[in-house]
Amino acid sequence: NLAPLRPKLRVLANSSVSAYKGKNVDPRQAGHELNVRAVLVGKVLQQGEILFIQVELVDATDGTRLWGDRYQRNRADLLAVQEEISRQISEKLQLNLTGEERKLIARRSTQNTEAYYLYLNGRYFWNQRESEQLKKAIEFFQRAIALDRNYALAYAGMADAYVLLSGSTEVRAQAENFARKALALDDTLAEPYATLGFLKTFRDWNWTEAESDFKRALALNPDCATAHHWYSILLTIQGRFETAMAEIIRAREIDPRSFPINKDYGSILYLSRRYDEA
């Protein structure tokens, strides 16, 4: 939730930090590997419908505890707990938030906690990028939408899955439909604009409009790794290697453990004739 507050704060993508899930990793090691100043660590225990949550914000340079708290909440209140944690961290880091930034922290794309869980599972499988995993992602996004027909992020997830699933005209038409549905529900989302930019790059070959969509996505959320990533591909196709490199580097800063981003980083280095680095 704090990601839109850049440049005051930079938050890494979930796909990078999820690699540490369930592992006993020293926060200093994780901070070094992810190139971040602080790491939020925690434990969640569920007993029936009750969640017991313990979180700590740890300085990655020396391992000292910056802040910590414990929560006991109903499972249905998970989204409210996230907002509370985000607010307390911003206060601990002494971020002077504007009224608009406070709204961003409190903003919810859905009020349905179960739909939110399903959406997160969909993104987990989407980040693996294999055909079977993309199909699993679609299943989770569909289940999320069944619980909340106005869940814009779930429609955006469907669009992202379909745009990568196949090169067929029919499938990519579905990707566009889901992206436009997401924007009809929430035109402040970056992800659907990135999807439309991808489609205009490879399906329509309309590079002028594609670039406009990518820039729109990044104006809405400068920390959208996918928008930086796919924009770098467009720039590479156009032979604009220096700008493409800046975009893919930014994508790697946000999501350093992403396989497709790192793969394409190597590809852009290669096409820029920086062979040893590639």
Side-chain angles (χ1 to χ4, degrees):
N1 285 344
L2 292 172
L5 306 188
R6 179 177 161 79
K8 297 177 183 177
L9 188 67
R10 179 174 67 92
V11 182
L12 294 191
N14 181 65
S15 56
S16 281
V17 298
S18 63
Y20 297 96
K21 183 178 180 180
K23 298 179 182 178
N24 187 19
V25 179
D26 188 327
R28 290 171 295 181
Q29 176 189 340
H32 175 73
E33 292 174 353
L34 297 172
N35 191 29
V36 295
R37 291 279 306 278
V39 176
L40 184 69
V41 296
K43 296 180 180 179
V44 179
L45 175 66
Q46 181 173 345
Q47 292 183 353
E49 290 300 308
I50 302 298
L51 295 175
F52 299 90
I53 305 169
Q54 178 179 341
V55 291
E56 289 185 329
L57 187 66
V58 179
D59 189 323
T61 59
D62 58 13
T64 57
R65 184 177 186 257
L66 298 173
W67 166 85
D69 209 341
R70 296 183 180 185
Y71 305 85
Q72 181 178 331
R73 299 287 192 277
N74 290 325
R75 186 174 187 271
D77 296 332
L78 176 64
L79 295 173
V81 176
Q82 287 185 312
E83 292 170 16
E84 187 175 347
I85 292 172
S86 295
R87 188 187 70 253
Q88 290 184 2
I89 291 175
S90 69
E91 292 171 355
K92 181 61 184 179
L93 297 180
Q94 297 182 334
L95 296 174
N96 296 317
L97 305 183
T98 66
E100 188 62 31
E101 288 169 340
R102 292 186 185 279
K103 288 180 183 178
L104 285 171
I105 287 181
R107 177 182 172 186
R108 298 184 189 181
S109 187
T110 182
Q111 300 296 324
N112 190 306
T113 301
E114 189 61 35
Y116 176 66
Y117 274 115
L118 292 167
Y119 170 77
L120 291 181
N121 276 286
R123 280 298 179 188
Y124 169 79
F125 286 108
W126 178 78
N127 275 307
Q128 297 182 38
R129 304 297 176 94
E130 296 291 338
S131 178
E132 290 305 311
Q133 307 307 320
L134 290 172
K135 291 176 183 177
K136 286 184 180 180
I138 288 172
E139 291 177 7
F140 278 107
F141 293 139
Q142 286 175 329
R143 289 168 61 190
I145 291 169
L147 291 176
D148 183 352
R149 294 292 180 183
N150 295 316
Y151 195 177
L153 271 178
Y155 287 103
M158 291 284 285
D160 285 347
Y162 272 106
V163 82
L164 296 176
L165 189 59
S166 169
S168 73
T169 303
E170 180 183 353
V171 170
R172 289 199 166 172
Q174 288 180 290
E176 180 176 358
N177 290 338
F178 282 118
R180 297 200 180 280
K181 174 66 175 179
L183 289 174
L185 291 167
D186 185 353
D187 62 2
T188 67
L189 290 179
E191 291 86 349
Y193 283 107
T195 303
L196 293 174
F198 187 96
L199 286 167
K200 290 171 183 176
T201 299
F202 293 103
R203 184 192 66 179
D204 302 336
W205 301 100
N206 188 335
W207 294 343
T208 300
E209 288 192 13
E211 183 164 12
S212 178
D213 283 332
F214 288 132
K215 287 182 175 179
R216 176 61 175 160
L218 294 171
L220 289 167
N221 182 5
D223 285 337
C224 181
T226 300
H228 285 289
H229 177 202
W230 289 349
Y231 185 25
S232 76
I233 297 173
L234 169 63
L235 294 166
T236 301
I237 294 172
Q238 295 176 314
R240 298 158 63 186
F241 297 118
E242 185 175 344
T243 311
M245 184 59 64
E247 290 298 324
I248 198 69
I249 286 174
R250 182 72 192 108
R252 289 182 81 226
E253 289 174 350
I254 301 166
D255 199 351
R257 288 178 171 266
S258 166
F259 170 75
I261 289 175
N262 280 287
K263 175 183 69 68
D264 287 336
Y265 175 59
S267 298
I268 295 172
L269 284 169
Y270 177 82
L271 292 170
S272 302
R273 299 186 179 184
R274 295 163 61 175
Y275 300 126
D276 290 344
E277 292 174 82

